[in-house]
Structures are given as C-alpha cells and as structure tokens.
C-alpha cells in the first residue's frame, strides 16, 4: 500500500527533476558543409533564433510573416548565453560580437558564422569607449601604464583591452588587469566606485556614466581600434540538417533586409525598439542611432576574416589557447546571402 | 531600586503585601507592530536621501522610485511584468507545495521511504538551486519548463523539511488512539497526520513563498521577454538604477505580503494552539 505510493512518488520525482534530455536525434541525411545550400524551406522546419533586436525590426517593418513560419525567437544574445543554449541543443542561431565564435571553438563547440555586419567609418563610430574613473588622469593610451584595467576574458570587451594594450605598446605586466565579467552595469559601477581605473563601456552606459559621474571628474577616451563586428553564428549540427540550413539561409536574407530597414528608418526604430521595447528615452535612442552610424554588410568577407585572424593570434598568445584559422569559423556559402537580399530588396 | 544602594548589599524588599511576579512572556501585542520596522526603514531612507547623506546615484530617493514606478505603471510595463512573474512564481509554488508534502508524507510514514528519499533531499538542500541552473538548461532547455522547475526546486525543500519535522513530532498518544479506534491509513493521514503536521507545514510555507520570489530574478535573466527579473536585468544593461530599485521594492512588498498572508492562515488554522505567542 505505502510501497505502491512510494513508487508512484519516486516516478513523480524522476519526472520533475527531468532527466528529459531534449536531444532531437535527426535521422535525416546530413548535409555536408560544402554542399550547395538548399533554397526552399521544407514544411515543419523550425529554427530557434536568439536575435532579439532583429525580431523587433522584422515586426516593425512588417517582414515578420516572411520568417515566422519556420523561426521561433528566443530572447538571448551574447556569447555566454548563446553557447550555453547551443550546448543544450536549444538554439540554432545567435547574435554576437567577434569573440564568442572563437571562444566556442576553443571550448570544443563546433560553430560557424553565417552573417556579418560592420559599421561604415568604424573608427568614428565605435561601440565602446574607454571609461576612466573619476580622479584618474588618462588622456592617451600611453597613460594606461600602471593603471588597474577591468578585463573580461571571453568577451569582446576583454579582447578590446588586449588590443588596446598592444596598440599602446604595453604588455600585461605594465598594467594591472582586474578580472571582471562585463554584464549589465558592472563596468560603470566599478569605475564610479573607483574599483578599477579604466574599463571599456559601450552603448548607453557611456552616456549614463558621463551624465552621472562627469561632475566628479569621470571621463571617457576613444581607443581608435575597430570594434564594430557583429555576427550571426550557429552550431555546425544545425547547418548539417538540410531543412535547418535552408531556414537559416532564409533568415540571414531577412536579417540583411532588416538591418537595412533599421538604417533607413531611424525614427521608427528609436520609437519601436529603444523606447517601446527596451524602455529607454527618445534622447537615449537618438544618441545610440547617431553613434552607430551606418551598417556595412559586405558580400566579401575576406577583410573580416583577416581582421579576425589577427584577433585570434593576439588572444591565443595572451590566453594560451592554440591558434585556429579564422576562415574555418565562417561558412562561406552564406557570404553573399545578406548582401544580395538587400540589393534585391525584399524578395 | 534606590540609587544609593551599595553593591553587594541586599535590597530590602518593600513590605507591600502583594508580590508582583516578573513577566516572562513578551506581553501584549503592539498595535500595527508589524509595520513599525518597514516604516522605520522608509523614514531613514527618506531622511538620508533628502539630506544628501545617501548618494542619489547609488541609491535613488524614495520619491524617484515612486515617480519611476508611476511611469512604469502608466505605460503598463510594471503590471504586465508583475503578472508574468506572479504566474511563474505561483505555478512553481503550487507544484513545489504538492511535491514537498507528498515527499514528506512518504518519508515520514514509511521507513523505506525515509531511507530512500531523505538523503537525496538533504543533498539537494545543500546545493543551491541557482547553481543547478546550468544543468537544468542542459536538461530542460531555455523554455518555461526550466524556469518553473528552478522555482519548484527552491520551494519544495523547506516545505518538505518542516512538514516532515512537524509530522515526526506528532504525539504518539494520537497514533495509539487512531489505532485503537481502528482508523484506516487514509483516515489516519487526514485526521491525525495532516492537522498534526500543519504547524510545521505553515512554517515551511513561509520560507517557500519568499523563496519562490527569490528564484524568479535569476530564472528571468535567461530567455525571458517579461517578468520583474527581466525588467531589472534590462535596466542593468542600460544603467537605469531607479528601475532596478523599483524592482527591489516590488520584490520586498511581494515578500512581505505573501508572508503576511501565510501568517494570517497560520493564525486562522492554528487557533487551537495555546502558545507563548498568543
């Protein structure tokens, strides 16, 4: 009697603690990574995409129903969250900067970049500035010697710090690197609390930091390095599934058109994304749009691959990982997809 | 006590005929006593902000928080996020209560059950639910089920521990009486075990309700598009300290209110107890 109840309870426990691995084993024929991309998306295909900003852009521009049949959006982006979801087989595409694809490869996850976006005139439209703590005097990169700098390995901000040191002709021994992950407002708080002297801060954080702590002597300086890479990347296993590969191709095309739409409709973008979706003020949105400049989505990735190779070599040297080939990170079958879609208008 | 009493000298007791006994209990309840602590906090916060002793940039002033909350309510963000969070917390809480009580009954009423269940649950208690999150993502993905299970795992442990403890401390006289009058197993559970374990269960519930809100902020940082935790995380990204504090205040109020509800249930359900507190 109680034995029976015990068994049923144990079954319930097993159910709840969920040993329900959601590895959807595909028995379909694998698509090899050098086979031509299938162009029609079979019915019933589903890809999960972590690209929240583009989701809003597609909605605002009325393009959402082009992809909604086979795309399910997840609200994640950035390296740590997307790689975690890739490992859980819960995501097929993620939107990240330059470093996560490299890091994912180093940690044994096979990924490929399928779309890349840069900025026109990148040195005058950087994503990051070097935030300088109140009361610390740093006017040029050379002044960084001996300073405490926030450093986050595995994130774009961390790689940027290494590039800045390289540019200033300094080594890691000339400064004091403080390991600190850059999430949310951690870096601007660390600066204002004088926990670090220098930290790369991006986007609205720059504006907030200066308005809040400018009167205490907080400043920012430009670093003069390209930091404008933005990629869509996904796990190789998704690209080996013919249905998913076709869906990813269709999504990349829609993504390209959406980036172009954002560039041509700043007013709608500020209202619909920055104000309504992200809860910022109109002034913040305007500031972000002005600072972003215009997107550069090229049909030729060779320059991007070369720049990424330099980043890999610098990171490998500093972190003790082995040098990998940047061209292996890119799935060149997608090279022209986004650019062609923009040229051809919305197909 | 006269002020001139020398140390070591015994006080002469006044020759009053009535000997007044010292009170050992806490005495009569203060009216609105529960509100005094939170109100005092609020006063310190307000005075500190008004005098500039608390830096606005580090901790927004109470009135800033109120106006920010007003703005969030005006454009509907606060309500919709609160509603989503409340749904997640309540589903997790409900499932956690059921699981906790069922496990406590199995482990409390059968030796085998205790041998099998109690150990793993104690192990689970030593592992923070939030540290399990990476594993839960691997097992359950990034959807809603992962969020609910995380809350459930945080909730069922206190319910289990306190219910189990309450059940095990039921006076053996009642068990003997139940056997004497020939109650069935189910009747015994319904009339003796559950009422007897109720004080323990309700104490566990007090831990559990706040625990459910606590888990929310973390699970809502992963693939959420709504919820109080999501709202706070988004505000972090943009350095909007005032919105973060609105979220904290909401959590505080929710915790206080849900605790008050459980205490009300406690007073009603346990009115038969004559204890120090009454």
């Amino acid at each position: 009697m109680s034995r029976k109840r015990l068994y049923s309870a144990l079954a319930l426990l097993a159910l709840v603690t969920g040993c329900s691995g959601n590895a959807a084993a595909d028995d379909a024929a694998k698509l090899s990574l050098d086979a031509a991309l299938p162009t029609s998306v079979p019915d019933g295909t589903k890809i999960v995409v972590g690209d929240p900003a583009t989701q809003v852009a597609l909605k605002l521009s009325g393009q959402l129903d082009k992809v909604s049949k086979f795309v399910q959006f997840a609200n994640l982006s950035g390296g740590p969250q997307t790689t975690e979801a890739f490992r859980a087989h819960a995501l097929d595409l993620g939107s990240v900067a330059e470093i996560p694809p490299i890091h994912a490869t180093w940690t044994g996850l096979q990924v490929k970049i399928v779309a890349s976006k840069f900025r026109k005139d990148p040195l005058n439209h950087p994503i990051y500035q070097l935030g300088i703590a109140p009361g610390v005097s740093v006017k040029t990169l050379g002044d960084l010697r001996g300073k405490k700098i926030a450093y986050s390995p595995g994130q774009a901000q961390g790689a940027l710090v290494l590039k800045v040191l390289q540019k200033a002709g300094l080594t890691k021994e000339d400064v004091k690197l403080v390991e600190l992950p850059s999430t949310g407002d951690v870096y601007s708080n660390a600066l204002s609390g004088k926990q670090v002297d220098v930290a790369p801060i991006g986007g609205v954080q720059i504006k907030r930091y200066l308005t809040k702590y400018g009167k205490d002597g907080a400043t920012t300086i430009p670093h003069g390095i390209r930091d404008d890479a933005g990629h869509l990347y996904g796990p190789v296993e998704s690209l080996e599934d013919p249905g998913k590969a076709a869906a990813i191709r269709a999504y990349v095309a829609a993504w390209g058109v959406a980036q172009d739409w954002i560039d041509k409709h700043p007013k709608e973008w500020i209202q619909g994304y920055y104000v309504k979706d992200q809860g910022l003020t109109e002034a913040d949105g305007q500031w972000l749009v002005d600072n972003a400049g215009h997107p550069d989505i090229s049909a030729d990735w060779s320059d991007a691959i070369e720049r990424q190779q330099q980043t890999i070599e610098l990171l490998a040297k500093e972190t003790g990982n082995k040098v990998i080939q940047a061209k292996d990170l890119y799935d060149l079958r997608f090279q022209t997809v986004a650019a062609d879609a923009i040229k051809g208008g919305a197909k | 006590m006269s002020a001139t009493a020398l140390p070591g000298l015994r006080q002469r007791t006044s020759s009053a005929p009535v000997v007044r006994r010292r009170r050992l209990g806490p005495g009569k309840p203060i009216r609105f006593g529960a509100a005094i602590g939170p109100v005092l906090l609020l006063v310190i916060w307000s005075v500190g902000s008004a005098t500039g002793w608390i830096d606005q940039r580090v901790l927004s002033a109470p009135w800033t928080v109120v106006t920010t909350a007003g703005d969030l309510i005006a454009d509907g963000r606060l309500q919709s996020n609160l509603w989503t969070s409340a749904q997640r917390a309540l589903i997790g809480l409900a499932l956690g209560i059921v699981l906790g009580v069922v496990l406590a009954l199995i482990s409390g009423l059968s030796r085998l059950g205790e041998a099998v269940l109690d150990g793993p649950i104690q192990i689970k208690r030593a592992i923070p639910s939030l540290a399990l999150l990476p594993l839960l993502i691997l097992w359950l993905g990034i959807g809603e089920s992962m969020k609910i299970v995380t809350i459930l795992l945080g909730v069922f442990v206190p319910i289990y521990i306190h219910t189990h403890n309450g059940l095990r401390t039921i006076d053996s006289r009642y068990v003997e009486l139940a056997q004497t009058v020939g109650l069935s197993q189910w009747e015994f559970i319904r009339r003796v075990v559950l009422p007897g374990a109720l004080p323990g269960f309700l104490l566990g519930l007090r831990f559990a309700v706040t625990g459910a809100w606590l888990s929310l902020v973390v699970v809502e940082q992963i693939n959420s598009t709504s919820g109080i935790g999501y709202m706070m995380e988004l505000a972090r990204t943009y350095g909007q300290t005032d919105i973060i504090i609105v979220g904290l205040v909401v959590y505080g109020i929710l915790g206080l209110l849900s605790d008050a509800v459980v205490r009300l249930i406690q007073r009603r359900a346990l009115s038969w107890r004559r204890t120090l507190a009454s």
Side-chain angles (χ1 to χ4, degrees):
Chain A
M1 180 73 192
S2 68
R3 192 69 54 91
K4 205 161 154 192
R5 213 174 287 141
L6 171 74
Y7 290 142
S8 55
L10 284 178
L12 179 78
L13 185 70
L15 194 88
V16 168
T17 44
C19 308
S20 59
N22 47 2
D26 278 305
D27 298 333
K30 269 193 184 177
L31 182 75
S32 91
L33 288 177
D34 47 19
L37 282 176
T39 47
S40 67
V41 183
D43 278 346
T45 306
K46 261 270 175 284
I47 52 169
V48 186
V49 177
D51 187 9
T54 305
Q55 181 187 6
V56 177
L58 289 167
K59 210 179 291 172
L60 291 172
S61 60
Q63 308 265 345
L64 196 57
D65 40 7
K66 278 211 173 54
V67 296
S68 57
K69 215 173 91 178
F70 51 86
V71 170
Q72 184 195 341
F73 282 101
N75 191 22
L76 355 128
S77 59
Q81 288 197 335
T82 51
T83 46
E84 187 172 46
F86 287 161
R87 283 182 215 285
H89 308 285
L91 194 70
D92 299 300
L93 270 188
S95 156
V96 287
E98 187 185 32
I99 307 305
I102 302 172
H103 242 265
T105 309
W106 275 337
T107 55
L109 195 70
Q110 288 190 298
V111 294
K112 291 272 183 193
I113 293 168
V114 295
S116 289
K117 177 175 102 170
F118 296 90
R119 289 177 172 186
K120 290 194 172 121
D121 189 12
L123 293 183
N124 290 316
H125 298 94
I127 294 178
Y128 298 103
Q129 297 258 3
L130 292 180
I132 314 294
V136 175
S137 168
V138 175
K139 298 274 182 290
T140 64
L141 296 189
D143 298 339
L144 292 172
R145 185 182 293 277
K147 298 286 185 292
K148 277 189 295 187
I149 305 175
Y151 171 66
S152 155
Q155 283 184 290
Q157 291 90 329
L160 181 67
V161 166
L162 296 178
K163 288 181 186 175
V164 164
L165 291 180
Q166 189 184 36
K167 189 178 174 190
L170 300 168
T171 65
K172 281 208 287 199
E173 282 63 50
D174 297 323
V175 294
K176 191 159 176 264
L177 292 183
V178 179
E179 268 207 31
L180 197 62
S182 166
T183 52
D185 53 358
V186 171
Y187 275 15
S188 28
N189 289 345
L191 285 169
S192 62
K194 304 198 175 97
Q195 302 299 306
V196 294
D197 300 327
V198 180
I201 47 179
V204 180
Q205 295 284 358
I206 300 172
K207 183 168 179 256
R208 289 262 193 286
Y209 177 63
L210 290 174
T211 42
K212 273 186 174 174
Y213 300 100
K215 57 175 175 294
D216 298 348
T219 52
T220 60
I221 60 165
H223 50 70
I225 296 167
R226 283 198 76 159
D227 64 357
D228 56 333
H231 303 296
L232 289 180
Y233 77 139
V236 165
E237 61 177 33
S238 298
L239 292 163
E240 287 174 334
D241 174 322
K244 283 188 174 181
I248 289 171
R249 184 183 176 281
Y251 181 78
V252 168
W255 169 90
V257 174
Q259 306 312 312
D260 191 50
W261 181 91
I262 293 172
D263 184 42
K264 297 197 167 82
H265 301 78
K267 282 272 169 296
E268 289 92 327
W269 182 239
I270 290 169
Q271 265 313 320
Y273 181 65
Y274 289 126
V275 176
K276 268 222 181 60
D277 191 74
Q278 299 286 292
L280 292 167
T281 63
E282 207 156 321
D284 286 337
Q286 189 61 52
W287 186 91
L288 282 164
V289 166
D290 292 345
N291 276 274
H294 296 285
D296 169 23
I297 296 172
S298 162
D300 177 9
W301 287 349
S302 44
D303 292 354
I305 292 174
E306 204 170 301
R307 282 198 301 273
Q308 185 127 2
Q309 190 61 45
Q310 290 168 0
T311 303
I312 290 172
E313 275 158 28
L314 175 70
L315 276 185
K317 196 175 84 200
E318 296 291 355
T319 58
N321 282 298
K322 66 178 201 305
V323 174
I324 48 178
Q325 291 308 308
K327 65 175 190 312
D328 299 342
L329 292 177
Y330 287 78
D331 189 333
L332 292 173
R333 294 173 301 170
F334 289 90
Q335 186 167 228
T336 58
V337 172
D340 288 352
I342 295 172
K343 257 206 297 270
K347 271 204 278 293
Chain B
M1 284 281 281
S2 64
T4 54
L6 290 169
L9 221 65
R10 248 196 20 229
Q11 285 287 316
R12 269 191 29 216
T13 44
S14 59
S15 53
V18 185
V19 182
R20 282 195 46 208
R21 260 200 231 121
R22 282 227 0 245
R23 207 183 60 212
L24 293 172
K28 278 207 202 72
I30 308 174
R31 279 193 66 160
F32 307 118
I36 291 177
V39 167
L40 198 64
L41 262 183
L42 204 59
V43 168
I44 293 172
W45 182 15
S46 308
V47 170
S49 299
T51 55
W53 175 67
I54 298 174
D55 190 340
Q56 282 281 333
R57 297 168 307 187
V58 178
L59 178 61
S60 313
W63 40 94
T64 317
V65 173
V66 171
T67 50
T68 307
D71 294 344
L72 288 173
I73 292 169
D75 62 14
R77 276 175 71 195
L78 192 60
Q79 302 88 306
S80 67
N81 284 324
L82 187 57
W83 175 231
T84 321
S85 285
Q87 274 176 305
R88 283 190 189 122
L90 287 173
I91 294 171
L93 188 64
L95 292 174
I97 289 172
V98 172
L99 184 70
V101 170
V102 168
L103 291 179
L105 284 179
I106 295 168
S107 147
L109 296 174
S110 102
R111 289 291 171 196
L112 179 68
E114 180 173 44
V116 173
L117 290 177
D118 199 62
I121 292 175
Q122 299 306 333
I123 293 170
K124 160 68 200 72
R125 189 164 73 114
I127 299 174
S129 297
L130 307 177
L132 278 174
L133 209 55
L135 280 180
L136 290 173
I137 292 175
L138 277 176
W139 295 339
L140 303 170
I142 48 182
E144 207 63 20
S145 54
M146 175 272 293
K147 299 184 178 76
I148 304 276
V149 168
T150 309
I151 297 170
L152 180 153
L153 285 177
V155 162
F156 94 93
V157 173
I159 298 269
Y160 167 86
I161 299 262
H162 292 281
T163 311
H164 181 262
N165 178 47
L167 190 160
R168 280 291 165 95
T169 49
I170 293 174
D171 204 317
S172 55
R173 284 177 305 175
Y174 299 120
V175 186
E176 283 164 19
L177 179 67
Q179 281 169 348
T180 313
V181 298
L183 287 184
S184 68
Q185 178 85 20
W186 170 238
E187 283 279 294
F188 170 64
I189 289 178
R190 212 172 60 88
R191 287 166 176 274
V192 178
V193 174
L194 289 180
L198 195 61
F201 166 77
L202 286 170
L203 179 60
L205 190 60
R206 278 183 68 184
F207 284 102
V209 286
T210 37
W213 295 115
L214 285 180
S215 310
L216 266 182
V217 74
V218 177
V219 299
E220 286 180 344
Q221 288 173 18
I222 297 157
N223 188 30
S224 292
T225 46
S226 57
I228 299 287
Y230 165 76
M231 188 182 85
M232 286 166 75
E233 193 51 26
L234 195 63
R236 268 191 80 179
T237 309
Y238 294 127
Q240 297 161 314
T241 318
D242 47 352
I243 295 185
I244 297 172
I245 293 171
V246 170
L248 287 176
V249 169
V250 169
Y251 273 123
I253 293 172
L254 287 173
L256 207 61
L257 281 181
S258 31
D259 194 53
V261 170
V262 180
R263 286 168 83 165
L264 187 74
I265 297 173
Q266 259 183 327
R267 270 205 297 281
R268 287 286 150 85
L270 306 178
S271 52
W272 44 268
R273 288 207 302 187
R274 307 290 307 151
T275 57
L276 188 73
S278 12

